[in-house]
């Protein structure tokens, strides 16, 4: 049987964000969506995942899920067969970025979560394509299902995350960096920088997509993941 694939959603997302990939890719391999909303820190989330995932697996993470994926790889590189990073920032927060999270954390804890989603947060997550309003609606539904407490914990975990540049330079697995051309959360230049640090990484850019590429261009994401899964394990 083909190697198992583990998908990690990003902030305010659950398995619904991977619906197309789950449906199509599970025809030929086991596919699992693992949560990134149970711990207080990225390191804690990675440790919990490693305790329950298969012995070896392909790993694909989006956004915060990509951050957790890098920590999983840092801790247990021998267990990760190949790696895909979608909309992922490998750096730690700058002082300004860390400070900008505080009003969102406070707002979520003080009953303004739904208002913030509509006016401040979700519009930045989605590009200007034809599916924009449908994707925003799906994002809002997932975010409200997870709730304000999960959002606040995820913001705090991202605020405290480590710089993973050293991890990137040591990657030897086939790696895909998949970026939305119009990503406002992790700009394309940051993802190009990520790809440059990984030996033999393949960078794929989805035109017209924002941060939520799995929902904005599900066919493009699935095609890129299929090509990644077919890469030989020995890269030259």
């Amino acid at each position: 049987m083909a190697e198992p694939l583990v998908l990690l959603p990003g902030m305010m997302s659950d398995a619904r964000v991977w619906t197309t990939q789950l449906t199509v890719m599970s025809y030929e391999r086991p596919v699992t969506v693992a949560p990134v909303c149970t711990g207080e820190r990225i390191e804690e989330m990675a440790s919990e995942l490693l305790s329950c995932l298969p012995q070896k697996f392909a790993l694909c993470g989006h956004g915060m899920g990509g951050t957790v994926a890098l920590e999983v790889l840092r801790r247990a590189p021998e267990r990760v067969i190949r790696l895909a990073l979608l909309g992922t920032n490998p750096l730690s927060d700058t002082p300004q970025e860390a400070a900008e999270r505080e009003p969102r954390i406070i707002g979520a804890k003080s009953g303004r979560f739904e208002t913030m989603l509509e006016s401040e947060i979700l519009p930045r997550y989605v590009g200007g394509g034809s599916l924009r309003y449908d994707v925003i609606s799906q994002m809002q539904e997932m975010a409200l299902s997870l709730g304000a407490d999960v959002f606040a914990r995820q913001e705090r975990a991202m605020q405290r995350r480590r710089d993973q540049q050293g991890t990137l330079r040591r990657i030897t697995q086939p790696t895909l960096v998949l970026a939305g051309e119009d990503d406002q959360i992790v700009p394309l230049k940051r993802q190009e920088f990520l790809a440059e640090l990984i030996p033999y990484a393949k960078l794929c850019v989805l035109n017209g997509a924002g941060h939520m590429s799995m929902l904005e261009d599900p066919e493009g994401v699935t095609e890129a993941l299929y090509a990644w899964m077919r890469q030989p394990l020995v890269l030259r």
Side-chain angles (χ1 to χ4, degrees):
M1 181 178 289
E3 64 206 50
L5 171 62
V6 177
L7 303 171
L8 305 182
M11 287 190 64
M12 303 178 293
S13 300
D14 56 27
R16 285 170 282 186
V17 81
W18 297 110
T19 296
T20 298
Q21 292 74 40
L22 271 170
T23 302
V24 176
M25 303 192 77
S26 61
Y27 291 151
E28 62 180 36
R29 71 186 67 252
V31 183
T32 301
V33 178
V36 294
C37 56
T38 57
E40 301 289 336
R41 301 183 69 95
I42 299 298
E43 292 84 354
E44 182 182 342
M45 297 173 194
S47 179
E48 290 181 1
L49 287 176
L50 284 167
S51 70
C52 62
L53 290 178
Q55 187 58 35
K56 290 185 180 292
F57 50 89
L59 185 58
C60 173
H62 168 251
M64 179 179 177
T67 302
V68 176
L70 285 173
E71 182 62 19
V72 167
L73 182 71
R74 187 185 74 84
R75 288 168 177 251
E78 72 285 352
R79 294 180 60 183
V80 179
I81 299 171
R82 60 183 79 235
L83 178 70
L85 301 170
L86 286 65
T88 299
N89 183 354
L91 308 181
S92 57
D93 264 4
T94 65
Q96 179 180 345
E97 289 168 340
E100 289 172 351
R101 293 187 191 273
E102 288 299 329
R104 297 196 290 268
I105 293 171
I106 294 169
K109 291 181 175 181
S110 62
R112 295 194 297 109
F113 181 48
E114 188 168 355
T115 300
M116 289 194 310
L117 283 176
E118 295 176 357
S119 62
E120 304 171 29
I121 299 174
L122 296 183
R124 296 183 60 241
Y125 269 70
V126 185
S130 60
L131 297 178
R132 174 176 171 81
Y133 294 105
D134 287 342
V135 173
I136 288 176
S137 177
Q138 292 176 69
M139 281 289 296
Q140 184 172 29
E141 185 176 335
M142 287 187 290
L144 293 177
S145 295
L146 291 169
D149 288 343
V150 168
F151 172 77
R153 284 204 310 271
Q154 289 181 329
E155 282 277 26
R156 188 68 77 194
M158 289 297 284
Q159 187 184 53
R160 296 168 174 169
R161 71 187 187 278
R162 70 169 66 227
D163 184 302
Q164 295 282 13
Q165 292 181 72
T167 302
L168 298 178
R169 293 188 177 96
R170 292 191 297 272
I171 293 175
T172 58
Q173 294 87 340
T175 301
L176 169 68
V177 177
L178 187 55
E181 178 186 32
D182 300 327
D183 193 334
Q184 295 183 54
I185 305 302
V186 186
L188 178 57
K189 285 187 177 180
R190 180 62 57 86
Q191 298 185 66
E192 290 172 339
F193 170 74
L194 182 157
E196 289 171 0
L197 290 181
I198 303 173
Y200 309 109
K202 176 178 175 57
L203 173 66
C204 179
V205 180
L206 298 173
N207 296 330
H211 189 63
M212 301 305 298
S213 57
M214 304 87 68
L215 298 176
E216 297 176 73
D217 187 0
E219 292 80 11
V221 170
T222 303
E223 183 179 338
L225 291 180
Y226 261 120
W228 163 67
M229 292 294 289
R230 294 185 180 115
Q231 279 187 266
L233 292 178
V234 178
L235 299 175
R236 299 186 186 278

